[in-house]
Amino acid sequence: MSDRRSGRGRRATLGALLLLPPVAAALIGPFVTDAAVPSNGMPYAMGDGHLLGTDVLGRDVVALLLRGGVSALGVACAAVALAVAVGAVLGLTAAASRSRWLDDLLMRPVELLLPLPSLLVISVVGIGWRGHPVAVALAVAALNVPAVARLLRAAALDAASGPVAEAMRLQGESPARILVGHVGRAVLPVAVADAGTRVGSAVFTVAAANFLGLGLDPTSPDWGVSIAASRDALFVQPWAVCAPALMLVMFTVGVNLLADGLLPRGAGHREGSQGKATAWNR
């Protein structure tokens, strides 16, 4: 047991260390750099006061790293937070409703979004609302809501129909208290573990959209946009591509390691498995 705990602790520590540079850049960078990174250098130049050189537009790569994290991480994290919030309301309400018609009413409409390809949806959003990070965040959130709602519903079914929930109902507790105080707390490990995985996926989805020109403006300092803008000069000025790519990789790997290290091993799996077994019987 102690070996497992120490292993989780090491993973959490490594995850926190990996998260530190990209998160610090996203939080502190906007306060130490100009709102618009100036193009006052030669394209793909090294030296001349530029620690990591310049990009295709002559902008300092370090300044781009400090300025681009807000959109690269902020859009994805906001999208996942919104997806978890909406999915939790739908999934937990459906699980605790004790009504088949309400369950179907809540879950069936959102399940229509499950087969939709993410890049296709973001392409449509990018064409209609080009350059608007809020539109991209809403699209990514909408794509994640069905899976989150289904997962949390399955994880909550066991708690919602268990003896503790029944005892609370007999004692006259309100449905809201049962839903939030008992069912919500029971599925929290599942929600946190799933959110940690979805943040990494959302970061790469947003970065891929920006890389393909479907998201932010091509001159944006966003890390995904920076990779796309300088990809042709990978072997001429590798830092213009590798530095923002490294930030994205460090963030996604760090989030997963931190979530895996902080959660009790097997808690989410047991809750999810019990809930899924109950879901098949419902």
Side-chain angles (χ1 to χ4, degrees):
M1 182 65 69
S2 60
D3 292 339
R4 292 182 179 179
R5 289 179 178 176
S6 62
R8 290 201 301 269
R10 286 193 294 268
R11 284 193 294 273
T13 302
L14 179 58
L17 291 175
L18 289 174
L19 280 174
L20 184 60
V23 171
L27 294 178
I28 302 173
F31 297 100
V32 297
T33 56
D34 297 330
V37 181
S39 304
N40 54 4
M42 294 292 294
Y44 302 132
M46 294 295 294
D48 295 330
H50 303 290
L51 182 62
L52 298 179
T54 60
D55 72 340
V56 64
L57 298 178
R59 299 175 298 181
D60 183 69
V61 172
V62 173
L64 291 175
L65 292 179
L66 294 174
R67 196 72 201 178
V70 175
S71 58
L73 305 184
V75 171
C77 291
V80 172
L82 180 59
V84 171
V86 176
V89 171
L90 294 174
L92 296 184
T93 304
S97 64
R98 302 167 65 87
S99 170
R100 185 58 182 266
W101 72 266
L102 181 58
D103 190 351
D104 291 339
L105 180 64
L106 292 173
M107 299 303 298
R108 296 300 175 260
V110 297
E111 288 176 352
L112 296 176
L113 296 174
L114 279 174
L116 295 179
S118 58
L119 286 181
L120 176 62
V121 174
I122 293 178
S123 299
V124 175
V125 172
I127 293 172
W129 295 276
R130 184 175 181 82
H132 290 275
V134 174
V136 176
L138 290 175
V140 175
L143 290 167
N144 282 276
V145 164
V148 173
R150 284 165 58 94
L151 175 67
L152 295 186
R153 173 189 174 274
L157 280 172
D158 187 65
S161 59
V164 176
E166 292 294 340
M168 293 178 72
R169 292 188 186 97
L170 292 175
Q171 291 174 0
E173 298 287 356
S174 65
R177 183 175 178 83
I178 297 173
L179 185 65
V180 177
H182 172 60
V183 179
R185 186 167 55 184
V187 303
L188 183 60
V190 181
V192 173
D194 183 64
T197 302
R198 291 191 185 279
V199 165
S201 176
V203 166
F204 274 110
T205 300
V206 174
N210 291 330
F211 180 84
L212 296 173
L214 303 173
L216 301 177
D217 186 89
T219 60
S220 168
D222 180 89
W223 293 340
V225 176
S226 299
I227 296 170
S230 302
R231 65 184 185 274
D232 292 334
L234 177 61
F235 297 104
V236 177
Q237 216 296 59
W239 284 115
V241 177
C242 294
L246 183 61
M247 285 289 197
L248 292 173
V249 172
M250 290 174 68
F251 181 81
T252 53
V253 175
V255 165
N256 282 278
L257 287 175
L258 186 62
D260 183 59
L262 292 179
L263 288 175
R265 173 62 80 184
H269 175 74
R270 287 194 300 270
E271 291 285 350
S273 299
Q274 292 171 354
K276 289 176 184 176
T278 310
W280 284 107
N281 296 326
R282 183 162 176 171

